Amino acid sequence: MPRIRIFLLLLLLNCFCNSAIAQSEEISDAKIDELINQACLHLNKSNFEKSLINSRAALNYAFLKKDDYLIAKCYRIIADNYNELSEFDKAIFFYNKTLSYANETNNDSIRYGIYNNLGNIYCFEKKQLDKGIRYYKKSIAYGLKVNNFKHVYFTNMNIAWVYFDIGHFNEGAPFLKFINSYQKRDGDKSSPIIVNMLNGMFYSYKNDYKGADTYFKKAIESGKKGDEQSNLSYAYLEYSNFLLKNRKYKEAYENLSLYNKITEELYGQEKLKKASVAGFNLELDEYKREIDKIENEKITQSQSLKKSKIIVVLFILISFIFLILIFTLYKNIVIKKKANEELLKAKEIAEEASLLKTQFISTISHELRTPLYGVVGITDMLLDEHKELYRSQYLSSLKFSARYLLSLVNDLLQINKIEENRVVLENSAFNMRDEINMIKNSLSFLSKKNNNQVLVNIDSDIPEELIGDKLRFGQILMNLVSNALKFTKNGEVIIMASLVKIEQDNYFIEFQIKDNGVGIAIADQGKVFDKFVQVGRKEEDYQGTGLGLSIVKKLLQLFGSTISLKSDIGEGTLFTFTIPFQYSTEKIQIIIDEIDFESNNLYKILIVEDNIINQLITRKIIEKNNYKCSVVNDGFSAIDLLKKEEFDVVLMDINMPLMNGFETTRRIRSIGILTPIVALTAFDKDEIADEAISSGMNDIIIKPFESEKLFKIINNLILEEKNVGC
């Protein structure tokens, strides 16, 4: 049956494969090239026996070399041989073999020819038109992919031929038009035979006998000038059909005889017999490969079975251990159940666990804040008593670091509180330049450790004094700069602040923290702001909790802002965010006036505190403001002293031995003493607020604290008490 097959071109066969003749023999590139070239040449001359022999040798070489592309090439030549020999089932088998190996490579050039030839078989031989057309379309797609327009041209020629062969001339007409249009550009020396033949068939369908006769004669004339005997035979056959249709029986018989003569020359019985022998040997090789494959699979399965047995044994052993653990657990549960029949249900257990967690956090919070109160207080005392240390960057760094650590502890222990938006920003007047420089100085030890330089660039348009939550702002900046210093070595970290816009009293300042450190991979950039996530630990342990950037993100949300990140591995990292701060000379003056609590009145303050260091620090803070101060160690002593003397305010610790601050306050109130009492404690305010109010306390202040805030509370309570007395 007619078809245009796309064979392997000799120019595309300059590849290397192995020979099965002698496995120990060194593989020669020239020998491999010669084998493949000879196989193609013999196929083009219809010498199928020699083509199959050479293909078989080349295939064995290719398998020894384990080169998928070469194996696909060899299978392709074998499939083409069977296609020419009209053994179409075998051809399909080997074409599919070709595809299976070709799909393991990135080379698309071999695929389009395979799909074209499969289209020929299914359309012309199997009469499965839909399946054949699908193969043709795949062939065209791959031809376009590799920019082989000549191949696209020949596949369109085959499609036209298919439709004409089954009598669907109108469906094949567009494809005929295509090949007529691009004959000069994409055709070759053999294409005029088929193009003219197809035009002859179409004109015959249109009953234009003169035109059809002309095209058929042109096809035959072109075939006589070239070597394409197979295509010439198709032209004789179709011309014979045309003459028979027009009742020119003698001429029809002559052309049919010429068709049979060429066919006999190309596919003689002797050739087919020899090819059958060569093909038989090749098929034996294929069966042997399949047997070897099955044997290898058996070996693999045997090894897998051994592993499976080991896994089963391990599973049984683990299951046995697991059963022992379950039995032990069950036994323990039974014992506990007998010991306590009134064990709470799951909900009650969960509530109890939650309560224990709250108590644990409360205790940890108290235990961490108490020593921090000592650090901050002693630092302030040193600065007050030794003015020469005022400009010491080490002492300033110590003070700032202690305050930062306090803020970090609060956020770590109360991160759920931040997520629930129960943290409120505070407004205070501060100098942004001083704050940034303090952060820079406090991190000097870290910058020196990694031999880094910290540079500060602040827009001159930014006012000196701003209003905002400087502690939260400092925490954001501290986290980002310390992070940059940790992940940078022998480099620099730049802190930039730029004024981007002004809206009424709000100054929107853009901050950028830039480093030239290790950078963050794109895959990790989406998760660095998650809690407990740390990246960049493959080569070195950078330490840290993995909460820094998460806290930064949440604190910026409180400011109504977001943070952006740009980074590349080895190129450094840039964090950018914008915070609106207020600037108003009137508001700044009001805030400064509010914290000026110096008084000429000599107030008497009673401190109830069991911690010696805290006593010393609180007393220093009180006496510094010209107040008279008395200190007792416990609640009983406080009650006894209040019965004898009058005080303006009582500063009451909560966690004391013998009797805690709540109970002490209740007893003070029960004997009619109305002196204002302020809870001075390291517990979180939300945890004790209800009990403090119910016990009779007037206010709460958390240690460590700003002394200005304490004196503001004291003055307000004293003033309120005097107004009530009036």
Side-chain angles (χ1 to χ4, degrees):
M1 292 302 295
R3 65 274 191 195
I4 295 293
R5 300 189 184 102
I6 298 177
F7 296 114
L8 288 173
L9 301 177
L10 294 178
L11 293 176
L12 297 176
L13 292 175
N14 293 322
C15 53
F16 311 116
C17 57
N18 300 325
S19 176
I21 297 173
Q23 294 186 16
S24 60
E25 180 183 351
E26 183 179 354
I27 298 172
S28 166
D29 293 351
K31 187 173 183 179
I32 297 167
D33 187 52
E34 182 183 358
L35 277 173
I36 297 175
N37 285 341
Q38 286 178 358
C40 290
L41 287 171
H42 289 312
L43 175 61
N44 291 334
K45 293 179 179 179
S46 300
N47 191 337
F48 307 116
E49 177 193 14
K50 291 184 179 180
S51 179
L52 287 171
I53 290 172
N54 284 287
S55 300
R56 177 192 177 197
L59 181 62
N60 288 328
Y61 272 121
F63 269 109
L64 287 175
K65 197 172 183 180
K66 296 180 181 180
D67 189 315
D68 291 331
Y69 181 67
L70 291 177
I71 292 171
K73 289 275 193 180
C74 296
Y75 272 131
R76 168 69 190 281
I77 300 172
I78 294 167
D80 286 340
N81 272 278
Y82 280 116
N83 197 357
E84 283 294 294
L85 291 167
S86 298
E87 295 192 41
F88 302 113
D89 289 333
K90 291 182 181 180
I92 292 172
F93 172 80
F94 283 106
Y95 279 135
N96 286 327
K97 279 276 189 181
T98 307
L99 283 175
S100 66
Y101 284 96
N103 290 334
E104 298 297 321
T105 72
N106 295 322
N107 193 309
D108 294 320
S109 61
I110 194 172
R111 291 184 178 91
Y112 61 72
I114 298 169
Y115 284 121
N116 175 84
N117 294 352
L118 283 170
N120 287 337
I121 292 173
Y122 281 102
C123 285
F124 289 107
E125 315 301 340
K126 298 291 185 179
K127 303 302 179 183
Q128 298 179 26
L129 184 64
D130 291 340
K131 190 171 185 178
I133 294 297
R134 285 199 299 271
Y135 279 122
Y136 281 141
K137 288 181 178 179
K138 285 185 178 181
S139 176
I140 291 173
Y142 277 109
L144 293 173
K145 186 176 180 180
V146 297
N147 295 321
N148 191 327
F149 298 106
K150 288 185 179 296
H151 166 70
V152 174
Y153 177 81
F154 281 109
T155 303
N156 276 277
M157 184 186 296
N158 278 333
I159 296 173
W161 200 345
V162 167
Y163 283 121
F164 288 2
D165 187 61
I166 61 176
H168 294 180
F169 289 93
N170 290 330
E171 293 181 50
F175 298 95
L176 178 63
K177 183 178 180 181
F178 175 87
I179 61 176
N180 283 333
S181 300
Y182 292 99
Q183 165 63 24
K184 291 183 179 179
R185 190 191 75 176
D186 299 325
D188 61 8
K189 62 181 182 179
S190 67
S191 60
I193 305 171
I194 303 303
V195 173
N196 285 316
M197 182 192 76
L198 292 175
N199 277 287
M201 294 170 69
F202 187 73
Y203 274 86
S204 175
Y205 162 72
K206 291 292 186 179
N207 295 321
D208 184 346
Y209 301 114
K210 183 177 180 181
D213 188 73
T214 301
Y215 275 113
F216 278 124
K217 288 179 178 178
K218 284 183 179 180
I220 292 169
E221 189 64 29
S222 298
K224 289 179 178 179
K225 294 179 181 179
D227 297 328
E228 295 295 329
Q229 293 298 302
S230 178
N231 291 341
L232 177 60
S233 70
Y234 299 145
Y236 279 128
L237 178 62
E238 293 299 334
Y239 189 37
S240 173
N241 292 334
F242 167 74
L243 293 170
L244 186 63
K245 176 182 175 182
N246 290 280
R247 299 184 179 182
K248 296 183 178 181
Y249 301 111
K250 182 180 179 182
E251 294 179 32
Y253 177 76
E254 291 172 353
N255 281 275
L256 182 61
S257 297
L258 291 171
Y259 165 76
N260 289 330
K261 180 181 178 182
I262 294 173
T263 303
E264 178 62 27
E265 290 175 357
L266 293 175
Y267 308 102
Q269 289 297 321
E270 188 62 27
K271 279 188 176 182
L272 295 178
K273 185 176 180 181
K274 291 179 180 180
S276 177
V277 173
F280 179 74
N281 292 330
L282 192 146
E283 289 172 32
L284 284 177
D285 288 346
E286 197 63 31
Y287 292 141
K288 185 178 182 302
R289 284 191 198 95
E290 289 298 321
I291 292 170
D292 291 342
K293 182 179 178 182
I294 292 170
E295 289 298 324
N296 290 332
E297 288 177 354
K298 284 183 179 179
I299 294 171
T300 303
Q301 289 175 357
S302 177
Q303 293 173 346
S304 177
L305 184 60
K306 289 180 181 179
K307 292 179 181 178
S308 299
K309 288 180 179 178
I310 295 172
I311 292 171
V312 169
V313 171
L314 289 174
F315 177 76
I316 293 171
L317 182 61
I318 292 169
S319 299
F320 180 70
I321 295 170
F322 184 66
L323 287 172
I324 293 174
L325 290 174
I326 291 176
F327 176 75
T328 305
L329 181 62
Y330 173 75
K331 190 175 180 180
N332 289 336
I333 290 172
V334 171
I335 293 171
K336 289 180 180 179
K337 188 175 181 181
K338 289 180 180 179
N340 185 7
E341 293 293 334
E342 297 181 355
L343 196 61
L344 296 175
K345 295 181 180 179
K347 181 179 179 182
E348 293 171 338
I349 294 173
E351 290 174 351
E352 183 180 354
S354 177
L355 179 61
L356 289 173
K357 176 185 173 184
T358 302
Q359 291 173 349
F360 172 76
I361 292 175
S362 176
T363 303
I364 289 296
S365 173
H366 181 273
E367 293 302 317
L368 288 173
R369 287 195 183 105
T370 298
L372 282 174
Y373 178 54
V375 174
V376 173
I378 291 172
T379 305
D380 288 336
M381 289 166 56
L382 286 172
L383 289 172
D384 288 339
E385 295 177 6
H386 299 276
K387 300 297 183 184
E388 71 276 10
L389 297 176
Y390 183 77
R391 294 187 178 276
S392 170
Q393 71 175 37
Y394 302 109
L395 204 56
S396 297
S397 297
L398 174 61
K399 181 178 179 179
F400 182 83
S401 297
R403 293 185 180 279
Y404 164 71
L405 181 57
L406 171 66
S407 177
L408 180 59
V409 166
N410 289 338
D411 284 340
L412 288 173
L413 297 175
Q414 301 179 44
I415 195 163
N416 290 333
K417 186 177 175 182
I418 297 174
E419 291 174 347
E420 293 170 5
N421 297 320
R422 293 191 286 119
V423 175
V424 179
L425 296 178
E426 298 180 359
N427 282 334
S428 61
F430 71 100
N431 188 305
M432 191 189 73
R433 289 172 174 78
D434 290 346
E435 195 74 15
I436 292 176
N437 285 322
M438 185 179 295
I439 291 170
K440 174 185 173 182
N441 293 334
S442 68
L443 293 174
S444 60
F445 70 96
L446 184 56
S447 60
K448 290 177 182 177
K449 176 184 176 183
N450 288 340
N451 194 27
N452 292 322
Q453 185 178 8
V454 180
L455 306 177
V456 178
N457 186 356
I458 301 176
D459 191 343
S460 59
D461 292 333
I462 298 175
E464 288 286 335
E465 296 291 332
L466 296 170
I467 299 173
D469 193 326
K470 71 171 182 178
L471 192 62
R472 301 296 180 185
F473 165 68
Q475 186 177 350
I476 292 169
L477 216 57
M478 176 71 89
N479 269 315
L480 292 174
V481 175
S482 63
N483 224 39
L485 288 170
K486 281 194 295 184
F487 290 92
T488 303
K489 287 189 176 181
N490 304 315
E492 62 181 23
V493 176
I494 305 174
I495 306 171
M496 293 174 283
S498 306
L499 181 63
V500 292
K501 67 177 178 178
I502 303 173
E503 292 182 359
Q504 297 178 347
D505 292 340
N506 292 317
Y507 279 58
F508 289 81
I509 302 174
E510 180 185 80
F511 297 92
Q512 291 186 320
I513 312 300
K514 183 178 182 181
D515 66 69
N516 54 359
V518 297
I520 303 172
I522 294 175
D524 293 327
Q525 291 179 16
K527 57 187 178 183
V528 293
F529 293 104
D530 295 338
K531 290 187 294 186
F532 307 112
V533 170
Q534 295 171 313
V535 298
R537 286 180 172 265
K538 291 181 180 178
E539 297 178 0
E540 184 173 348
D541 184 4
Y542 293 100
Q543 301 182 353
T545 62
L547 278 171
L549 291 180
S550 176
I551 291 173
V552 166
K553 182 179 179 181
K554 293 181 184 300
L555 289 176
L556 283 172
Q557 288 173 353
L558 295 178
F559 282 102
S561 180
T562 57
I563 187 167
S564 64
L565 161 65
K566 290 183 180 179
S567 183
D568 285 309
I569 292 293
E571 298 296 327
T573 304
L574 172 65
F575 288 99
T576 304
F577 61 92
T578 301
I579 295 180
F581 291 109
Q582 285 189 321
Y583 173 71
S584 170
T585 54
E586 295 82 3
K587 290 183 179 179
I588 291 173
Q589 190 59 47
I590 291 171
I591 293 174
I592 293 173
D593 292 341
E594 285 180 352
I595 63 175
D596 186 10
F597 298 119
E598 290 188 5
S599 174
N600 294 322
N601 296 320
L602 185 61
Y603 295 136
K604 291 178 65 178
I605 310 297
L606 174 61
I607 300 172
V608 187
E609 170 68 68
D610 65 304
N611 186 291
I612 302 300
I613 296 175
N614 289 353
Q615 288 179 2
L616 174 65
I617 294 168
T618 307
R619 184 168 196 154
K620 281 286 184 181
I621 293 171
I622 297 299
E623 291 178 345
K624 178 186 173 184
N625 207 53
N626 299 321
Y627 292 172
K628 186 177 180 181
C629 183
S630 298
V631 179
V632 293
N633 294 323
D634 57 72
F636 291 107
S637 301
I639 294 171
D640 291 341
L641 189 57
L642 283 169
K643 289 178 181 179
K644 299 173 185 177
E645 296 183 35
E646 289 187 3
F647 290 88
D648 294 294
V649 173
V650 178
L651 300 180
M652 181 74 69
D653 187 25
I654 299 299
N655 194 18
M656 295 185 295
L658 304 179
M659 182 167 55
N660 65 34
F662 299 131
E663 183 60 29
T664 302
T665 302
R666 290 190 188 95
R667 295 195 182 189
I668 291 171
R669 297 300 186 225
S670 68
I671 59 177
I673 298 174
L674 302 178
T675 303
I677 299 175
V678 177
L680 191 62
T681 179
F683 285 111
D684 188 78
K685 187 174 182 179
D686 291 341
E687 296 173 10
I688 65 169
D690 293 339
E691 191 170 0
I693 293 171
S694 64
S695 68
M697 291 181 173
N698 299 83
D699 210 333
I700 303 169
I701 188 165
I702 306 301
K703 295 183 291 190
F705 52 80
E706 298 285 345
S707 58
E708 295 87 353
K709 186 174 182 180
L710 174 63
F711 292 129
K712 179 180 178 182
I713 292 174
I714 291 173
N715 285 350
N716 288 341
L717 288 173
I718 293 173
L719 182 61
E720 183 181 333
E721 180 69 15
K722 288 184 177 180
N723 290 336
V724 172
C726 293

